[in-house]
Amino acid sequence: MIQAADCHVLSAGFSFHRKPFRMSLSQGIQYYLIRLQSEGRCRALIDGIISPVEPGDIMLFTPTAPYNLIIDEEEFSPGKPRIESGDYHIYCGGSWIEEWWYSRKRPDKVSVPLSDNFLGLFRQLVLEQRRQSDFSPEISSCYLQIVCMEIDRLTTEQPAVSPKGFLAYRMKQYVEEHAALPFKLEDVASHVDISVSRAVHLFKEAFGTSIVKYLNDVRLEMARERITFSPMPLEHVAETCGFANYTYFHRIFRSRFGMSPKEYRAHSRSQI
C-alpha cells in the first residue's frame, strides 16, 4: 500500500481575477496540477484546443503537458462585459498521485456539480498550506487524496453528463447536504434555477425515485446510525435528522426497517 508520505502537496491556493490574465507554457509545468474553476469563466488549452472553462470544471495537467490559460472579458449580460474568474489550484507529486493519475484514462477536463462539501475540501487544503505554525504535510496529503478520490466518485456517478443530468446531480447533492435541515421542493428547484415541476421530473428521470423519497431515505439512514451509536433520545434523533414530527418519523422508520425506532435501538445495540 502506498503511504500518505508518497503524496505531496507542493503548493495550493485560491486565485480570483478581475483583470486580464494570460499564461502560456509550451513545456508545461514541472508537477501535476489540479485546477478547479469555482467562479466565473476562463479559457484554457484542452485537448489541443482553446476551450471555455465553466464553474465546476476541473482541469488535470500532467508534468510537461502544454499549459495555456486565458482570462479576459466575458459577456455576463447584454452590454455589460466584465472579468471574473476564481479558481483553486493544487500543484502536487509523489507515487500516490502518479498511481491515482494513471489508474484510468483522465481527460484534460472533467465537469462535476459544485457543492459546499467539495469546495470545502479545497478550502481546507489551502488553509492547511497557509498555516504558519503547526503545519502538517500529512494532513495536506490526506486532504489531497480525498480530493482525488472525490473526483473519481463524482465522475463515476455521472459518466456521461447531459445538461439535464448535470442539474439532477446538483439537486441530489443539495438534498444530501441539507437533509438534516427543513427545506421545501421549491428550495431544491431554486438551487438549480428551474421550476418545481421540472425539478421533480428531472430527478425522477435521472434516479428513478422522487425527491421526497430520496430525502427520506437519506434522513432514515442518518437516524439509523444515531439510534445505534448515540445516546440521543429518539425524539431528538428525529428532530436532528430533519423530521418535522416524531409520529411521521416513527411511521416511515417502521415501514423501512420493520421495527420501531425503540425496538431497532435495542436490537442493533445487542449486536455490537
Side-chain angles (χ1 to χ4, degrees), residues 169-220:
Y169 277 97
R170 287 183 62 198
M171 289 189 286
K172 180 172 174 281
Q173 286 194 320
Y174 181 91
V175 170
E176 292 166 348
E177 290 176 12
H178 295 81
L181 304 172
F183 64 85
K184 302 176 182 178
L185 287 176
E186 288 83 356
D187 299 319
V188 181
S190 177
H191 178 65
V192 294
D193 198 27
I194 59 177
S195 67
V196 171
S197 60
R198 180 163 170 75
V200 169
H201 173 75
L202 289 182
F203 197 94
K204 178 74 172 180
E205 185 179 54
F207 305 113
T209 188
S210 70
I211 296 174
V212 172
K213 185 178 185 309
Y214 185 71
L215 171 61
N216 280 337
D217 287 345
V218 173
R219 286 174 169 172
L220 285 171

Side-chain angles (χ1 to χ4, degrees), residues 15 31 36 51 72 90-91 102 107 132 140 146 152 170 180 184 198 201 208 214 220 239 249:
S15 297
Y31 313 105
L36 170 66
S51 306
D72 49 21
I90 306 169
Y91 296 94
Y102 296 107
Q132 297 299 301
S140 287
I146 294 171
D152 280 350
R170 287 183 62 198
K184 302 176 182 178
R198 180 163 170 75
H201 173 75
Y214 185 71
L220 285 171
E239 179 185 347
F249 166 67

